[in-house]
Amino acid sequence: MKKLINDPKNVVAEALEGVALAHPGLLTVVADPAHIVRADAPVQGKVGLVSGGGSGHEPLHGGFVGYGMLDAAVPGPVFTSPTPDPIVAATKAVDGGKGVLHIVKNYTGDVLNFETAADLALAEGIEVRAVVVDDDVAVKDSLYTAGRRGVAGTVLIEKIAGAAAQRGDDLDAVTAIAEKVNGQVRSMGVALTAPTVPHAGEPSFDIGDDEIEIGIGIHGEPGRQRVGLEPADQIVDRILHPILEDLPFASGDKVLLFVNGMGGTPLIELYIAFRRAAQVLAEQGIEVSRTLVGNYVTSLEMQGFSVTVLKLDDELTELWDAPVQTAALRWGR
């Protein structure tokens, strides 16, 4: 195992120290229990947004804390849900008197621990709602999941719901926006290599040099099928067509197209994938009106990518375009 780490037991703690030093004035990092909050939290009179999950997916979630997006993020150990205590601490830290929305990826540990934290926060007088993200069309019921997994669509929900909260929408309205995005976004990924969790010291699954895993999860969970390596265009077709058939998307739709790297894929390759996805959408009469390309929901150093398509309307487009200032996503300010 070759990694830029010191002690595998200290990876998350030392990374959080680095985050705090890299982004003063933007973020406040609390070491115990571990959570990241906006430097100006709580913002009085605004719905608070909290997300979180296992570390190893950076910049998700801490990289999306800031103006116009999340108010707090709760990082667990690598690929392991945070316990309820830091989720409660983050919820209390961002409560501006208008309630708090939890955005939770659909993994069993995350769902259970956020539910427990919501109950504990409610006992302290904080109104909490939750939206469970399940945008992955690859499989239903996986290694850590009942139902579909929450993957790269999480970023789009955090951005759009964050903009709704920032403009002053109440808790019901912000929750409804988040649920609307979750209902209209679909994703699927592919892996060329496996990630290595630091404390495990070896790849999370075996895959041949000439093989790829179609429908991979962001923790290395199995996908739909394993096939031989193919040209990029064929791989994009394999994962894009199930996405388009699932909603389904139709000619005349306006969409946001998001090609996400899994951590070890060069940006030049992500643009090759984006090129093909945009071609397919154009052939089907689907207009790509907003775009995002880069490493936003990663799986440590896994080589691979995912494609996410979100059906847009005027309101969602306006909220996507609204100003945002976070460590990993920034425009309009």
Side-chain angles (χ1 to χ4, degrees):
M1 179 177 74
K2 288 183 179 178
K3 286 185 178 289
L4 289 170
I5 63 173
N6 296 305
D7 186 330
K9 297 192 297 291
N10 298 331
V11 166
V12 175
E14 292 182 355
L16 288 174
E17 290 177 20
V19 168
L21 293 167
H23 304 291
L26 182 65
L27 306 173
T28 299
V29 176
V30 179
D32 187 20
H35 59 285
I36 301 168
V37 297
R38 279 174 63 159
D40 58 351
V43 181
Q44 294 301 320
K46 188 185 87 67
V47 172
L49 264 66
V50 178
S51 192
S55 295
H57 305 301
E58 290 74 22
L60 193 81
H61 295 271
F64 303 125
V65 173
Y67 181 94
M69 211 159 172
L70 294 177
D71 293 272
V74 188
V78 174
F79 289 2
T80 304
S81 172
T83 60
D85 286 352
I87 302 171
V88 173
T91 302
K92 292 166 68 175
V94 305
D95 175 30
K98 295 297 183 180
V100 175
L101 175 64
H102 288 170
I103 298 174
V104 188
K105 301 189 303 302
N106 189 31
Y107 299 95
T108 303
D110 289 16
V111 171
L112 290 174
N113 288 331
F114 270 89
E115 283 179 351
T116 301
D119 289 342
L120 293 169
L122 180 62
E124 298 197 34
I126 302 173
E127 186 178 5
V128 178
R129 303 282 174 79
V131 171
V132 177
V133 185
D134 58 354
D135 57 309
D136 189 354
V137 307
V139 294
K140 183 180 179 184
D141 300 334
S142 184
L143 209 54
Y144 309 109
T145 312
R148 290 180 165 183
R149 304 176 292 211
V151 289
T154 310
V155 176
L156 310 187
I157 294 172
E158 291 175 354
K159 168 64 184 81
I160 290 171
Q166 193 68 57
R167 74 180 178 185
D169 287 14
D170 64 19
L171 184 57
D172 286 341
V174 175
T175 302
I177 286 284
E179 290 175 340
K180 179 179 178 180
V181 177
N182 189 56
Q184 296 182 190
V185 66
R186 299 290 188 272
S187 302
M188 191 165 166
V190 60
L192 283 66
T193 63
T196 298
V197 176
H199 61 260
E202 57 187 32
S204 61
F205 60 90
D206 294 321
I207 188 166
D209 290 342
D210 59 347
E211 294 179 317
I212 59 175
E213 182 82 16
I214 303 295
I216 195 75
I218 58 172
H219 309 93
E221 309 96 309
R224 286 187 172 188
Q225 62 182 143
R226 185 166 294 191
V227 301
L229 182 63
E230 300 171 329
D233 286 2
Q234 289 175 237
I235 297 172
V236 171
D237 289 354
R238 278 187 181 270
I239 64 175
L240 181 57
H241 288 298
I243 289 170
L244 298 180
E245 293 164 1
D246 192 87
L247 191 62
F249 293 86
S251 178
D253 285 347
K254 292 184 178 181
V255 301
L256 186 158
L257 175 59
F258 173 22
V259 171
N260 172 66
M262 295 289 198
T265 302
L267 195 55
I268 192 171
E269 295 177 21
L270 297 182
Y271 278 113
I272 292 171
F274 187 93
R275 160 194 160 275
R276 176 57 183 170
Q279 287 174 346
V280 172
L281 292 173
E283 289 166 3
Q284 298 201 16
I286 298 170
E287 179 185 343
V288 177
S289 64
R290 296 295 183 273
T291 63
L292 188 65
V293 184
N295 289 283
Y296 293 99
V297 181
T298 63
S299 184
L300 295 169
E301 78 278 41
M302 180 193 285
Q303 286 180 266
F305 72 100
S306 61
V307 175
T308 297
V309 184
L310 167 64
K311 183 177 178 179
L312 291 170
D313 58 23
D314 289 345
E315 181 181 34
L316 296 186
T317 303
E318 178 184 334
L319 291 168
W320 176 258
D321 289 345
V324 60
Q325 186 174 5
T326 69
L329 216 58
R330 180 179 302 192
W331 58 72
R333 291 189 97 216

